[in-house]
Amino acid sequence: MIEAASQPSPRRILLGVTGGIAAYKAAELVRRLRERGAEVQVVMTAAATRFVTPLTFQAVSGRPVRTDLWDDAAEAAMGHIELARWAELVLVAPASADFLARLATGRADDLLATTCLATVAPVWLAPAMNRSMWANAATQANVATLGDRGVRLLGPASGEQACGETGEGRMLEAEEICAAVYATELQRPLAGVRLVITAGPTREPLDPVRFISNRSSGKMGFAVAAAARDAGAVVTLISGPVALPTPPGVRRVDVETAAQMYQEVHAAMAGADVYIGAAAVADYRPTCCASNKIKKTSDRLDLSLERAPDILASVAALDRRPFTVGFAAETTDVERNARDKLARKRLDLIAANEVGSDRAFDREDNALLLLWPDGRRELSLQSKADLAREFIAVLAERYHETRRARPKLAPVAS
Ligand code: PMT
């Protein structure tokens, strides 16, 4: 877990090294990152080992270098899934044209590519290749695809190349890459924070074709997930049925019912630092779901409903609970009702919105009143994307403040 964002802090960086003459610069990069307090685990492709030996990287990183997806001993100790989970940032430098192509097409044909597929951490690439290879339409298409998926590119720079040509394609210098990593961290108040958020409605089935639901479109929760990602958080978005694309770089889990959402939220709680309940979860659900379509046999049909699990309250009640944030959808007495929910559910922060047929639900804009035990902040009516950014800025302040005051509240990610 990254500590307060205003200071350079240790972080777990998985450095991927692919085949190219710039691989020698990666050894200097390891040194620079470690000087800033990072733990660096190097993973090399087979081609990279032709340029620099794993021993060099082992010496500068202080850790055994991983090269092989099929290394039995290493897989037993720290397999590719463990590597993917361990990393707070995956940085590939140099990233060859071949590696960009493999990543763009989702290949899992070596340890580095597999780890990139398996991680929810941000993936950054520092490309290095001949200028014609960089300019080639295939490479540019791969770069565009990766950019759309939230992969960030550092460089390449322009200048003299190892092949004697001059042009764009040189890898950035180690210090430039290192500065980019830490400069961004300063602007990202949730860097490395593991955040779980729910969004959208739930559907509670009455029979195989009917359900009880609500008007939530998921727009608010999805906007908050994207803003949290931009603030550096590692985001898991647990969504009810909505018609929205997944924000790039966010891990999404789809559910239908409150019970499924409860299960997925708790499955995501290990190591979570922040939980935000933005979903409009059913308060009540049918006591049973008819196995066949309910027939129109009488003039009147009474439904029997029971309480659905309260996901937010159950998260707040965990022994090692994350920083817990609720939403409150109110039609009257917004502040009083929201303050009551904040206290009753033992939340760290609540975002209250006035809802109605023409407010908040399924709208492009919204306004929020943020409340915490000894404070409040009003966020004015604006697009949900802008509102989400302001919300996340306040949340980050409150999160760091609470962690300083009550360090035991939020678990440290394992
Ligand atoms: O999705 P949009 O169309 O963009 O609309 C956004 C929104 C209005 C749905 C959103 O801004 C919002 O207010 N979400 C919470 C809606 C809600 O269920 O509010 P509530 O006051 O009923 O619930 C309070 C809190 O308890 C919420 O954090 C909710 O996620 C949580 N809850 C509620 C019931 C339940 N069974 N489990 C829960 O965890």
Side-chain angles (χ1 to χ4, degrees):
M1 228 291 307
I2 304 296
E3 293 298 327
S6 54
Q7 64 205 20
S9 50
R11 58 183 303 167
R12 299 189 298 262
I13 298 177
L14 188 147
L15 178 67
V17 183
T18 72
I21 188 64
Y24 79 91
K25 289 189 194 173
E28 174 66 7
L29 178 57
V30 174
R31 220 172 52 80
R32 298 281 171 130
L33 292 170
R34 290 192 74 200
E35 277 169 8
R36 303 267 192 144
E39 286 178 67
V40 182
Q41 171 65 56
V42 177
V43 175
M44 300 177 77
T45 63
T49 63
R50 301 282 192 131
F51 290 87
V52 183
T53 66
L55 200 58
T56 303
F57 285 108
Q58 178 168 326
V60 288
S61 70
R63 304 169 76 101
V65 170
R66 296 290 307 276
T67 54
D68 190 359
L69 187 55
W70 307 110
D71 177 340
D72 288 345
E75 275 294 301
M78 195 180 189
H80 60 281
I81 299 296
E82 271 68 35
L83 277 177
R85 287 191 186 136
W86 174 87
E88 291 174 357
L89 172 71
V90 174
L91 174 63
V92 182
S96 64
D98 176 67
F99 187 73
L100 296 185
R102 287 195 287 127
L103 206 56
T105 49
R107 299 294 299 265
D109 48 3
D110 69 5
L111 180 62
L112 184 57
T114 308
T115 306
C116 287
L117 271 190
T119 193
V120 293
V123 176
W124 291 12
L125 310 176
M129 66 198 74
N130 163 270
R131 68 182 175 92
S132 304
M133 292 169 77
W134 173 250
N136 190 287
T139 304
Q140 289 304 309
N142 291 332
V143 165
T145 301
L146 292 168
D148 287 346
R149 291 191 199 136
V151 172
R152 179 162 173 214
L153 258 71
L154 305 175
S158 204
E160 197 180 326
Q161 301 201 295
C163 54
E165 297 181 14
T166 302
E168 207 177 1
R170 276 173 63 93
M171 187 171 95
L172 294 185
E173 296 303 324
E175 184 49 37
E176 292 173 297
I177 296 173
C178 192
V181 168
Y182 285 94
T184 309
E185 183 178 312
L186 294 179
Q187 295 151 17
R188 304 200 329 155
L190 293 181
V193 168
R194 289 170 204 250
L195 183 147
V196 177
I197 179 168
T198 62
T202 59
R203 284 181 181 170
E204 307 304 325
L206 285 161
D207 69 18
V209 293
R210 301 186 181 99
F211 54 81
I212 297 177
S213 190
N214 59 65
R215 293 179 192 277
S216 170
S217 62
K219 287 174 191 162
M220 190 72 245
F222 275 55
V224 173
R229 173 210 59 202
D230 290 345
V234 177
V235 180
T236 299
L237 169 63
I238 300 171
S239 177
V242 296
L244 296 174
T246 309
V250 165
R251 185 173 87 90
R252 173 170 170 179
V253 180
D254 287 317
V255 298
E256 288 237 344
T257 64
Q260 289 165 358
M261 190 173 273
Y262 179 97
Q263 223 171 16
E264 292 298 342
V265 164
H266 282 278
M269 278 301 102
D273 302 297
V274 176
Y275 172 74
I276 306 175
V281 187
D283 289 325
Y284 290 92
R285 63 185 176 192
T287 43
C288 63
C289 170
S291 46
N292 293 312
K293 184 171 170 246
I294 299 169
K295 291 280 184 206
K296 199 171 22 171
T297 50
S298 62
D299 289 342
R300 196 187 149 104
L301 175 70
D302 292 322
L303 295 177
S304 167
L305 303 178
E306 64 183 9
R307 288 287 294 267
D310 188 324
I311 304 168
L312 182 62
S314 70
V315 169
L318 290 172
D319 281 346
R320 284 169 60 75
R321 67 186 232 165
F323 182 83
T324 309
V325 183
F327 268 69
E330 306 293 343
T331 48
T332 55
D333 279 338
V334 175
E335 182 154 1
R336 194 164 58 81
N337 287 331
R339 244 200 211 283
D340 176 58
K341 272 180 193 157
L342 178 77
R344 205 162 21 88
K345 299 196 184 189
R346 293 180 53 241
L347 307 179
D348 297 300
L349 177 67
I350 197 159
N353 38 197
E354 189 171 352
V355 300
S357 57
D358 61 349
R359 265 170 223 189
F361 276 86
D362 201 12
R363 306 273 306 186
E364 297 306 319
D365 54 16
N366 196 14
L368 290 173
L369 170 62
L370 306 184
L371 301 171
W372 57 95
D374 55 358
R376 73 194 291 285
R377 182 95 51 98
E378 283 178 41
L379 306 182
S380 63
L381 184 69
Q382 54 195 308
S383 75
K384 283 180 176 169
D386 289 343
L387 183 64
R389 275 191 282 276
E390 288 192 7
F391 169 52
I392 284 296
V394 177
L395 182 150
E397 277 172 28
R398 297 304 317 147
Y399 169 72
H400 291 298
E401 180 64 34
T402 307
R403 269 180 62 88
R404 273 193 291 274
R406 288 177 291 157
K408 273 191 289 189
L409 239 188
V412 174
S414 56

